[in-house]
Every structure is written in C-alpha cells, then in structure tokens.
Amino acid sequence: MGVTKQYMRYKPTSIFNIIASSRANGTFIEFNQTSNGRFWANGAAENVLIWDLRTGERVAELNRDKEEVTYLKSFENKLAVGYSDGNIVIFDLDTRTNECMFTPHKSAISCLQFDKNGLNLLSGSLDTDLVVSDLVDQAGKYRLSGHRGAVTDCHFLENYENIAISSSKDMQIKFWNIDTQFCFKTIVDNTSEVWGLALLRNESFLVTGCKETALRVYKLTENKSHNENKTVSDSSMLLTDDDSFSPIRCNFVGMIQRAGRGRTVNLITDSLGQYLACTGTDDEIEIFYFNSSEESLKKLSKRLKKLSVKKDELNEDSKEISLSDEIKRIGSIKTKEKVKSIDMISNATGELRIGAVFGNNLIRLYSINSAQKHPEPLLLKSISQQGHHSECRSVSFSSDNLAIASGSGDSLKIWNRSSLSCLRTIETDYILSTCFVPGDRHVLLGTKKGDLIIADIVVGEILETIRAHEKELWSVSLAPNLRSCVTGGGDNTVKFWSFELINDPNNESNKVLSVIHKNTLELEENVLVAKITPDNKYIVVSLLDSTVKIFFMDSFKFFLSLYGHKLPVLCFDICYDNLLIATGSADRNVKIWGMDFGDVHRSLFAHDDSVMALQFIPKTHMFFTCGKDGKIKQWDADSFNKILTLPGHIGEAFGLTISPNGRYVVTCGSDRTLRMYERSDELLVLQDVEEEEREEIENRELATGEDSAVPGLPGLNLPSKKTVGAEKAAENIIESLEIGRKFDAEESKEIPPIMQFYEATNSNDYLLGVFSKIRASDLEESLLLLPFSNVCEILERLPKIAESRKDQIELISKVVLFLFRIHHKPIVTNQVLLPSIQKLIKSLEESVKEVRDMVGENVHAMSLLQRRIEGQDKVELFKDATRARRVRNQRQKKRRIAKRLHMQIAA
C-alpha cells in the first residue's frame, strides 16, 4: 500500500476592501450605549460592519458564513439581520453575539420591522409572504399570505392593536389583522410596483413610493362605524371589502412631486414620524416635513389671508386644510454618486442627520438644519478610503509577502497583509493587470487603454505612463531574471521590456525607474496571457483562438501549440520545475499539459463557469483556480485530485494571487471583496473533504425540497420552513423513542451512551432532553415531520414527564399544544389515547397554575424585601450600578449638548 499524500488545509482568515454592499441597507444603531447617530451598521457581503462615524473607523464586525446580508433593522441594542437564504439572525450589540435565528422564508429578506416594544418582528421576503416572529419565544407566530409579488416594505401600526401594513411588487398595499391572519383592506389604485411605505405624524399619513416620480399620500383615520359591526361574522368579512368592516379608513389626499428621477428607492422617516426622506434612482436625497395640526392651521390661515387680499373667490374646498398646508419641503442633498440606501435621525434642535450608502462602495454622513429658512446640507464624514469604488480586477503579492496590490476601474491600492489597512491609493485608469517590480517599491499596471503604468508606491505617485499597446493590455509578468518584463495586449503583440534607471525629469540628481522596449512578437490573434518559463527558455502565449502557443525565447521560433480547449484560455501558469503547464479556459475546464511534448495529462471540469485565474503554489505541483461561479479550488497536478473548495465570493471571482512563500492566497471578485486564505497546520484528508462536500450538497437539497405537509390539512401554512435542523431534530426524536422502547424492555437497565450524553437515567428524561436541544424556531417543523404513530407514543409518555419534570412545563406545553393543533381529528377519534390525554390535561393545568403562582409570589416577595431593606437600613439597593448609569447618561448628555453647540457655531 502506497503512502498517502498529505495536504495542509487553507482556511479563510479575513475579508477586506468592502465598505458597504449595494444590495443591503444601512442603519443607525445604538452601540456602546450611544444612540445619537454616531454608530452605523451596514451589510458587507455576508458580514455586518459597524462604523464609528466620528472617527471613520470600523469598530465591530458581525459574522455569519456563506449567505449575503440583504436587510438590517435595529431596535435599542438589538440588530435584526436578514439574509439571502431567508434566515433572520438577531444580534445583541452589547455582547456582539447571536441571540437567536429564525428560518421563516424561502428566499431573500426584503424588509424587517420591530413592534414598539421590540418583542415581535415583522419580516417580508421575495417569496411574497410576511411572517410575524416572537423574539421572546424565538419562533414564528403567524404567516400572512396574499401578495402575488415580492414584498417591498412592511410596518406595524402602533395606534391599532395587531395590525400590519405591507406593500409589494404586485402593485397592492394590504392591511392585515395579525391575530386572524386576514387581509381586511387592499389598496389597488397603483399602476406600478409599490417600492416603499412611510407612516408620518403619529400614523395619520401614509406615503407610498412607486415607479412614478410622485409620492402618493393617504390619510389614515379610525373607522368608528367598525365598532358597531364587530358582531358581524368573519365569513361576511371575507365576502366584502366595505370600509364598514375595516378598523381603518384610508383616503387618498394628494401627491408629492419629487425632484429626482426614476422610481422611488427609499422612503425613510425619523423616529417621531415628522420628517420624510426619499431617494430615487439618481443622486438626490429629498427631505420633507409634515406639519403638526397647529402648524397646518396657521399655514391655512396665512393662505386664506393672501387670497382675501387678492380678492379671490373662496370656495368650500379652499377653506379646508390642503396637502400643501400639511407638508413642507425642507430641501435636498445633491450627491455625486447613486444612492442605494439611507437612514435618518433627528434631535430637538431640528438637526437632521442622514447616513447614506452609495453604489460605489462608500458611506457618507450629512447634516441639515431644518430650523433654517434655506438650510444647506453639510457633509460631516465620508468613509471612502478603505475600499475600491469599482470592481477589483487584479491582485498581486510583493516578493516579501507583506504587501498586496489591487487594481480596479479607477485606482490602485496597496494593502498591508498583516493589518489589512490601506497604505496607498493612486488614481489611475481602468486596471486589468498588476505586477510588483523587484525591490517592491514600484508596481507595473496594465490598463484597458493599452498603457503600461509605472507607479511608485512609496510616494504614491505615477512615475510614467507608456503607450505599450494599441488595445487592452491584458497581461504583465516578470522575466525569471527579474531584470525585464513581458506584456501581452489585444493588438496581437507580445512586447518585451527591460528595466532601466533614468534621470528624474523634475530632479536630475535623482534616478527613477523606467522600462525600455526591447523586442516585439507579432501574432495573428489577440494575446490574453503571456509568460516566460522559469528556466527562461520559452515564451508561452494564450490567444483568442483558444490555443496556447510556445515559442523559443532567443529566436521566437515556434515550438509547440497546445490545442484542445473549446473556448479561449483566460489564464495559465507554469510550475517551478518547467515540467507542467496548467491552463484555465472559458469552457470551464482546466487542462494539465507536459512541457516536453505538449501532451494533455488530464482534463478537469473545474468550475460551473469560466475559469478566470490560475496559479501554482511556489515549489509545488499544486495550484489554485477561481471562476465566475465565485468558487476557489485547490488542485493537485500530479494526482489530478481536487484537494479543497474554499468558501468563495458572492458573485464572480476575477483574480487570484499566491504569496511567494505559498502561505497566503488572496482573491478578488464582483462582490467588491478581497478575500484572504491562510495555510494552517491542520492536515487534510481527501476522503473527509469529499464526505463533507457530499453532506453539504445533500443538506442544501434537503433544505430546498418539498414543503412538509400533514394529511387532511392541505392549507397548513406555518410561520417557518423546513430546514436541515428540523429534519435532524425529527430524526433524533424518532431515534429517542426507539432507544427508549428498547431500554424499557431490557431487564439489565444498562444506560446506553447516547442517554448518558443527555444525562438521562430513564427513557422519559431522554425524550425530554432531545426536545430541549431542538432550536425553538425548528421545533414546530420537526414535530410536523413525525409520523402519527410516533405522535401517539409521545402523547402517551408526556403525562409522566409532566408530573416529574415541572421545571420544563413550558416546553412540554408547547409540544402538546402544537400536536393537538396539527393532529386534532385523529387524536380525538383515537379512544386508546383518551386516558393519557385526560391525565395530561389535568397534570398540565396543575403544573401551569403552580408555576404561575410561584413566579407571582417570588416577584412580590422580592419587591417586599427590597422595600423593607431600603426602609430599615436607609440605603438604596444596586446603588453603585444606578449611580454609574446616571453618571454615564450625564456624560452622554453633555457630549450631545456640546456637539450641537459646535455644529451650530460651524453652521
């Protein structure tokens, strides 16, 4: 038996370059007990970044693997994060930990909203449903189905009990009764998709944004006649849309014409509902103020006086308050970039702070004083230097493994590999290729215009721009002697350059680096990649005709042609000993060739889309590839095995580079991230990796499979979806029942190891231990997947469990109520279960009353003891904590006052 080849596992270590994803929104948060608009949270690929807008630094990062963040919503110290797979995670901002996770939707989360107490969460998704989740119970409560398009926005109506409102791409606005899960009112007068909702002035106004450049305004009032019709049955309510059966009257009162262009993208209000900020598909943020009732009356009286002075006739309509009396335009903020999302807060002085996320990977904070007659917006902070403003197309490592160069459509950035901080930013044209010059002081850049740029990264300047090619310069690579370089362009030529030191035009006493053109190899097709072999014997060129041609370096005579790819070869690399060449093509394949005769050793189906970059690990025959499918894979060119698939980019991966010591791998992609992977000391076994990938594929198919259903209940619509966790939980329950039966039947009563793991000495405690380990959001789905025979067995065991384990009475009650709700008819008709059910009901009633009385008695006893101790000793309990909190609040208040005074002076 041969010796098994060992590999070291590469692991993802960090993600950088990204400031804010354009797909996710940003929001002000309460962080470090500060809620004055200083801290900002936004999505960044699969992470959530928290920024200090005063210093412009990133202060925290909330992580969850793989899936992209699509929506954020904060409430006090909680942050709800929605992901593209339909999951919602609640983070505690004080501890920066994951409190709980829900799985209510099948596709990306599009909107989130807390209720006024922060106990319930309303979520909308692209799957057209809304779900109300209970944050205390950590499970879904209700699913609201009725929209025929993706849900775009949702809100709780706090002035009315258990009522929610939602908008959708189906051009409808729906009002929901959450308790009955019934849509009692639908607004259908929109002619295009409704993209946003906003509730203003204590929920008396509803503003909607559609595809048009005007905002529609509705007046919300309480329907008094609804109370007189409460005795009407629900069946009659389903047959009519008469306002007499609706607790809310919604009347269209007018439109607000926006100055911006395109459809409405964002509709945001402050916490008091007085200010409205909106954006379209352009670069303008517009702000409106909704007057109070007194202000509206004053404005009406002024208008009537003007009309009387002009001696105009006053009709009945002109004497009533109009929409122009209710709304005042504050102003607008013109930005140079397209706005993707905004958030707004206000203070008592009339200052508005508006945070904005832009489509080109930057964040800005604006301030505008609404108390002024003609307020001018003030840019307070811009976070822009921590990332490229366009997609990064090329990356490369320095020879000392310490610096990383990344080129995008507008700039070159140099990064510190250890701290991941941006050291230099140099504005350039569109960069296609990058390469460090020996000495690591200069970087060669190939641009889309065909220019070869020499950049000095020490001073952060461009030394020289050389017109190297007539079309795109696709490839720049060093020669093995490190004294020259070779470039390949779209003008069918490969050019050879040598490094020279010339006099600085600005200072003749100094020498600067330059390149001198030495030779040109002309070809018949566009050159995509050109590299010199490590022994300096051949020049290898990839052409647009899907071939790779090899020429002698000294005479440029043709040596070999590597043909076999069906589409152009976009990348290739040559191993250190000149024995192998690996090519990656747009046909999704990687081919490994021998350099001696040009024979194909193996053809590998590498990616699900074009292979964009390929590079050998130094001093090995292993190489990495990345493709447009976003994946990064490691291969062995000797055994032709795929070693590892690393968690890649969300979208396409464009470039890849490996450090000279082979320890680090950095990739760039369309999600605006640079991702670093580091070789660890962990040994990797190929069979284990294959098993992990196979299990992941099965879990993905399981999670996206058919909906779980119960016979006789075709309309069942739970506020959760089937997940891998629910499937495994159902399997664990069935397994616990089987092991419990075997344990009860044995005479020796030897406790199995699985029961010892749950610290159970009998089958009933084992079953309860399995229930307690199930995630709260997966409990209902796992019970739904159980066969009815197992349900009957559980109901037979529960009376004894309820009597012996009163500390878990809440969990037992949840299980019982859900099983009765789902399997009510078969349970009722099953006479065998009747004695067990009677015992269970009696036991649960007694246990719940006992627990309720105990909790109430303890609460009142503790409050009595507190008052007695404070009265006898004349002290205040928890005095230190109370005093520290008061001091902290006073300091924050002083800082806010000082900041307002400073801003007023600056204005």
Side-chain angles (χ1 to χ4, degrees), residues 780-791:
E780 291 187 352
E781 285 288 343
S782 61
L783 294 173
L784 187 63
L785 296 172
L786 296 177
F788 184 68
S789 58
N790 295 121
V791 172

Side-chain angles (χ1 to χ4, degrees), residues 391-408:
E391 293 178 349
C392 185
R393 304 293 301 194
S394 176
V395 288
S396 59
F397 254 108
S398 61
S399 60
D400 57 4
N401 311 291
L402 297 178
I404 304 166
S406 60
S408 68

Side-chain angles (χ1 to χ4, degrees), residues 138-150:
Q138 297 188 5
K141 293 176 64 177
Y142 309 106
R143 181 178 295 275
L144 310 176
S145 300
H147 282 295
R148 297 190 299 273

Side-chain angles (χ1 to χ4, degrees), residues 108-121:
I109 304 298
S110 57
C111 54
L112 294 169
Q113 189 70 35
F114 286 94
D115 66 354
K116 60 182 177 181
N117 299 318
L119 302 179
N120 295 311
L121 180 68

Side-chain angles (χ1 to χ4, degrees), residues 169-454:
K169 287 186 179 180
D170 61 5
M171 301 183 289
Q172 295 180 357
I173 301 170
K174 289 183 177 291
F175 292 80
W176 305 87
N177 186 316
I178 296 176
D179 290 337
T180 61
Q181 305 174 48
F182 167 64
C183 173
F184 60 84
K185 188 175 185 61
T186 302
I187 300 176
V188 294
D189 59 351
N190 296 285
T191 58
S192 60
E193 298 93 343
V194 183
W195 290 96
L197 299 174
L199 296 169
L200 280 304
R201 215 174 77 181
N202 196 24
E203 298 182 352
S204 59
F205 286 99
L206 171 66
V207 181
T208 66
C210 303
K211 195 173 181 180
E212 298 85 5
T213 58
L215 305 176
R216 302 178 67 87
V217 183
Y218 298 86
K219 188 71 175 291
L220 300 182
T221 56
E222 184 179 0
N223 189 1
K224 297 181 180 180
S225 62
H226 169 69
N227 298 326
E228 302 173 358
N229 294 303
K230 281 188 175 181
T231 56
V232 181
S233 64
D234 292 339
S235 59
S236 63
M237 293 175 65
L238 294 171
L239 297 176
T240 181
D241 194 27
D242 190 356
D243 277 346
S244 60
F245 301 104
S246 170
I248 300 173
R249 288 188 180 275
C250 183
N251 300 318
F252 176 72
V253 293
M255 303 179 75
I256 305 173
Q257 185 63 40
R258 294 193 295 112
R261 301 184 305 274
R263 70 169 180 87
T264 302
V265 176
N266 296 283
L267 278 180
I268 300 296
T269 64
D270 65 325
S271 58
L272 300 177
Q274 293 178 325
Y275 297 93
L276 172 69
C278 67
T279 64
T281 55
D282 56 354
D283 55 357
E284 187 172 0
I285 303 173
E286 300 177 68
I287 305 169
F288 303 91
Y289 175 71
F290 278 68
N291 299 321
S292 63
S293 301
E294 295 78 8
E295 292 171 337
S296 299
L297 290 173
K298 289 181 181 179
K299 199 169 182 181
L300 173 62
S301 61
K302 289 181 180 179
R303 181 166 59 85
L304 294 179
K305 287 180 180 179
K306 289 181 181 179
L307 291 176
S308 61
V309 170
K310 294 180 180 180
K311 298 182 180 180
D312 294 335
E313 293 185 3
L314 297 177
N315 52 30
E316 293 299 327
D317 294 336
S318 62
K319 294 181 181 180
E320 297 180 355
I321 297 178
S322 64
L323 191 61
S324 60
D325 300 325
E326 304 272 9
I327 302 174
K328 179 176 65 174
R329 185 184 296 268
I330 298 295
S332 62
I333 302 173
K334 290 290 290 183
T335 62
K336 297 180 181 179
E337 298 84 7
K338 184 179 291 187
V339 182
K340 286 297 183 179
S341 71
I342 58 173
D343 196 16
M344 177 174 58
I345 60 173
S346 62
N347 58 27
T349 61
E351 179 202 359
L352 299 177
R353 285 199 169 189
I354 300 173
V357 172
F358 294 87
N360 58 347
N361 195 31
L362 63 89
I363 301 170
R364 284 181 180 155
L365 176 65
Y366 296 94
S367 174
I368 187 169
N369 191 352
S370 62
Q372 297 178 356
K373 189 173 182 180
H374 299 289
E376 290 294 330
L378 177 65
L379 177 62
L380 298 181
K381 194 68 181 179
S382 177
I383 303 175
S384 59
Q385 294 301 316
Q386 290 87 337
H388 286 285
H389 300 324
S390 59
E391 293 178 349
C392 185
R393 304 293 301 194
S394 176
V395 288
S396 59
F397 254 108
S398 61
S399 60
D400 57 4
N401 311 291
L402 297 178
I404 304 166
S406 60
S408 68
D410 55 7
S411 64
L412 166 74
K413 284 185 179 291
I414 306 299
W415 306 86
N416 184 306
R417 192 259 310 154
S418 58
S419 64
L420 301 180
S421 59
C422 180
L423 303 178
R424 291 287 185 274
T425 300
I426 303 174
E427 300 296 328
T428 63
D429 292 329
Y430 199 110
I431 299 174
L432 296 177
S433 54
T434 59
C435 177
F436 272 93
V437 176
D440 297 331
R441 180 188 173 100
H442 303 86
V443 178
L444 297 178
L445 309 174
T447 69
K448 199 171 185 179
K449 294 181 179 179
D451 296 335
L452 179 62
I453 299 175
I454 304 175

